Amino acid sequence: MRWIVGLISLLPAAGLQAAPATQVAWTKETLALVEGGDPQRGKELAKTCASCHGETGVGLSPAFPNLAGQLATYLYRQLRDYKDGSRQNPIMQGLAAGLSDQDMADLAAFYSRQAPAEPAGKAGDFQAVLALIEHGDSKRILPPCRVCHGENGQGERIDTPRLAGQPQAYLEQTLRAYRDGSRHNDVYGRMREIAKQLSDEEIQRLAAYYANLAPTSRVSLAPRLPTTETTALALLDFQGQPRRLSEWRGKKIVLNFWSSGCQECLIELPQLGEIQKRYGDTGIQVVGVGLDDPQKLANVVRSLDLPYPILLSPPEQSAFLLRQWGDPSAAVPFTVLIEPDGRIAFRHIGRLEAEDLAELIAHPPASGLDNALAAY
Ligand code: HEC
Ligand code: HEC
């Protein structure tokens, strides 16, 4: 197969270098292992953990995170990360060293099924951080916490943990650890990149917010500004309508990031149109994400008569969006194939020809399967 990595356009500096992160890859086998974890056996194993994490995973002191109600996949990955040293903590590394993959899956199955801790529910002055949580801060390229951690801090999809009800001291300490890089097992350095931009005061208030957050005590917020949303979770289309990638869940999604100033992109776009026309009936959906000026993007789309939807990224957030999808260099064109179950089958930087793309869709390279699930 020909891999054409021609003149790639670079978006403004992304500033993130790949740093050592988790070694766990979400292959089918690993997902099946975690999904098939035995909670009964996990309960037995959890007796060793109860002196700190409590019988059901509600921590006995503010230094011990709650495990109850946490996503099983997240728990499993943290244990693997402690075991191989991707996440460092003397106590937990020592304990994880003695656990097999099966033990970890069983423990994760047990804790994820327990009722989460009641958030402390104390009122506080959260106005200052609500803007960050709800809207992010485009000047700092900070995406809103809620797009990943969920409206109520309940955690989302595979590797984004529940925050609601975690002890404030733990949340503060772990955000500081991301900020100074001592915690570095987050995929693509997303949390490190975010925490680096937070002040001490913001960290303290964010931690207080999530520690106290109960769905019912949630402050009601001003109407959303959809244009400040930063991830492909919700982007606007040319008609100004919010569109979500989840609209196409169940299909094979070919997600293509491009900009109007990128020559290679302009050559590639008609090839993607070809794919949509040829394979649209077979459950394949091409979705474009335009990264620069909407007017310029619209001109291109009109002149090429593209037969698939284009979503618009706020230009100042494009570098972050690319990084979030696994293109830390922010080079385009950049294409991600998402399987019907949300797993990412491959990512590719650079132009692809229709034939090569068709072949990649039919037979994704084994090595292309990496850590992530798509952020729908
Ligand atoms: C002696 C106290 C202690 C014991 C016993 C203990 N832990 Fe922990 N655990 C901690 C501390 C402290 C942390 C936070 C460490 C850090 O900051 O990385 C932690 C973190 C974790 C995390 C990461 C949570 C998150 O939100 O990221 C998991 C998962 C975990 N422990 C599972 C277990 C399991 C399973 C056992 C039993 C096999 C266990 N722990 C036993 C003290 C303990
Ligand atoms: C782009 C998605 C994304 C955004 C936005 C995001 N997070 Fe995270 N966050 C994650 C992921 C993924 C993890 C798990 C990383 C790991 O494995 O270390 C995480 C982990 C965390 C943890 C560690 C939880 C634990 O149990 O140890 C905290 C605390 C946290 N995030 C707080 C925040 C706050 C506060 C914000 C907003 C300022 C935020 N996050 C924004 C994706 C995100």
Side-chain angles (χ1 to χ4, degrees), residues 183-354:
R183 177 168 175 182
H184 49 69
N185 61 323
D186 52 328
V187 181
Y188 308 126
R190 284 177 296 192
M191 276 312 303
R192 273 169 285 169
E193 202 54 25
I194 290 168
K196 250 195 261 163
Q197 312 198 52
L198 298 174
S199 68
D200 283 337
E201 194 187 333
E202 283 171 330
I203 286 185
Q204 192 251 321
R205 285 179 192 249
L206 285 163
Y209 174 84
Y210 279 112
N212 288 292
L213 181 70
T216 46
S217 70
R218 202 156 172 274
V219 190
S220 74
L221 294 152
R224 295 253 158 69
L225 308 169
T227 45
T228 65
E229 300 211 355
T230 42
T231 71
L233 286 164
L235 294 173
L236 300 181
D237 63 15
F238 284 116
Q239 283 72 45
Q241 293 301 313
R243 304 291 296 265
R244 285 173 184 272
L245 211 47
S246 54
E247 279 176 50
W248 300 285
R249 187 175 285 166
K251 297 195 167 198
K252 275 194 188 205
I253 304 173
V254 179
L255 188 63
N256 176 254
F257 296 84
W258 62 284
S259 71
S260 63
C262 151
Q263 286 308 313
E264 292 292 302
C265 301
L266 301 183
I267 302 170
E268 186 187 52
L269 290 170
Q271 307 282 322
L272 290 158
E274 252 325 286
I275 293 283
Q276 182 61 51
K277 282 192 204 133
R278 254 195 264 159
Y279 302 106
D281 292 347
T282 67
I284 288 172
Q285 178 66 52
V286 180
V287 178
V289 180
L291 299 168
D292 57 338
D293 177 47
Q295 201 52 55
K296 290 185 187 152
L297 294 166
N299 290 342
V300 173
V301 172
R302 212 171 303 122
S303 69
L304 295 176
D305 195 19
L306 294 177
Y308 57 85
I310 302 287
L311 316 184
L312 303 172
S313 160
E316 71 281 6
Q317 287 166 5
S318 294
F320 183 88
L321 192 63
L322 285 169
R323 192 190 305 151
Q324 196 203 5
W325 280 92
D327 176 11
S329 63
V332 286
F334 173 59
T335 303
V336 180
L337 177 70
I338 305 161
E339 295 285 355
D341 62 3
R343 274 176 317 116
I344 290 178
F346 72 82
R347 302 167 210 262
H348 179 76
I349 296 175
R351 170 159 69 91
L352 287 163
E353 297 287 344

